[in-house]
Amino acid sequence: MTASTFRTLHHGRTAGDPLVLPGPWDAASARVFTDAGFPALATPSAGIAASLGYEDGSTPPGEMFAAVARIVRAVPVPVSADIEGGYGLAPKELVGRLLETGAVGCNLEDSEEHATLKDPERHADWLAGVRAEAGDALFINARVDTFLFGTGDPADAVARARLYVAAGADCVYPLIAPHEVFPVLREGIEGPLNMAAAPDKESVAALARLGATRITFGPGMQRYAMGATGDLAAKLRA
């Protein structure tokens, strides 16, 4: 599968019909989602971290890239990879390692140490470097963490997003943006918008009504699966 195929899935969508991308944390879960008929997948870094025994944000890069490669090999659909803030790698090395996994897209966040927003202009310059190295071979989803670590001001999110789109981002992901500010984001940001849903149909439907282009779940599906496993374990011990 190519980035072009994946990119096409984001465009020409009718209102209320977002691209829904389940978040596999290993090859087995990826096969489950593909067998259910989803046309593409988007790995969650936190879900993969949990499956490998790490805290979110502490997975060694080599293990993350290896996990993504196993997921890509397991399914016949495009896979986008959450690679956090890029692990401090220069654009050339980052793109090379990501393409080696077979992934056709990536999430790149504008915060560091899971606590602090990056300078938006410096981050935009780095994204431009990633785009230059990748050409059209990667779909770049630029995560905007204003609502997670910043002021929560939608104007700041829009300003950051515009810089990232100008730098070559294909899509913008304002993580945990409140539903009430989505119209402001939609008006101010050109191109596809990614929103995060809880792993249930009601959450997906609500974001579809708001006009989200793409819906992902972060580690929600992995946590749901672990909760179901915990319920099973408790029943077996009863």
Side-chain angles (χ1 to χ4, degrees):
M1 289 296 177
T2 66
S4 177
T5 300
F6 187 56
R7 191 172 283 111
T8 299
L9 291 173
H10 292 76
H11 294 281
R13 308 199 69 86
T14 59
D17 178 34
L19 175 62
V20 179
L21 300 176
W25 54 96
D26 59 14
S29 59
R31 291 192 185 105
V32 169
F33 296 135
T34 302
D35 289 346
F38 289 96
L41 306 173
T43 69
S45 61
I48 288 179
S51 74
L52 296 175
Y54 295 103
E55 295 295 323
D56 185 21
S58 64
T59 308
E63 292 197 43
M64 182 63 74
F65 288 121
V68 171
R70 287 192 293 271
I71 289 170
V72 172
R73 288 197 302 268
V75 296
V77 301
V79 176
S80 180
D82 181 352
I83 50 173
E84 304 177 282
Y87 307 114
L89 300 175
K92 184 175 182 178
E93 183 178 359
L94 178 66
V95 170
R97 296 185 71 174
L98 187 55
L99 291 178
E100 285 177 357
T101 71
V104 299
C106 60
N107 278 10
L108 291 169
E109 60 198 46
D110 67 348
S111 60
E112 50 195 352
E113 305 298 331
H114 284 250
T116 306
L117 286 174
K118 298 178 181 178
D119 176 84
E121 293 189 358
R122 286 204 304 270
H123 185 61
D125 288 343
W126 181 77
L127 285 177
V130 174
R131 170 54 70 209
E133 290 292 341
D136 292 332
L138 286 176
F139 183 98
I140 299 174
N141 189 33
R143 201 177 94 178
V144 177
D145 285 352
T146 298
F147 300 99
L148 186 62
F149 300 123
T151 63
D153 182 356
D156 180 46
V158 168
R160 286 174 173 269
R162 286 176 172 171
L163 284 172
Y164 306 158
V165 170
D170 295 283
C171 184
V172 175
Y173 181 15
L175 187 64
I176 67 168
H179 287 194
E180 60 267 23
V181 307
F182 190 83
V184 176
L185 301 177
R186 179 67 285 173
E187 181 179 359
I189 301 171
E190 181 182 355
L193 274 179
N194 187 162
M195 298 289 280
D200 59 70
K201 290 184 68 174
E202 293 77 13
S203 181
V204 171
L207 291 173
R209 287 192 296 270
L210 284 172
T213 312
R214 157 176 163 160
I215 294 176
T216 53
F217 302 88
M221 290 184 163
Q222 185 267 340
R223 291 171 181 171
Y224 180 92
M226 292 304 97
T229 303
D231 290 343
L232 174 61
K235 290 175 181 178
L236 292 174
R237 288 284 294 171

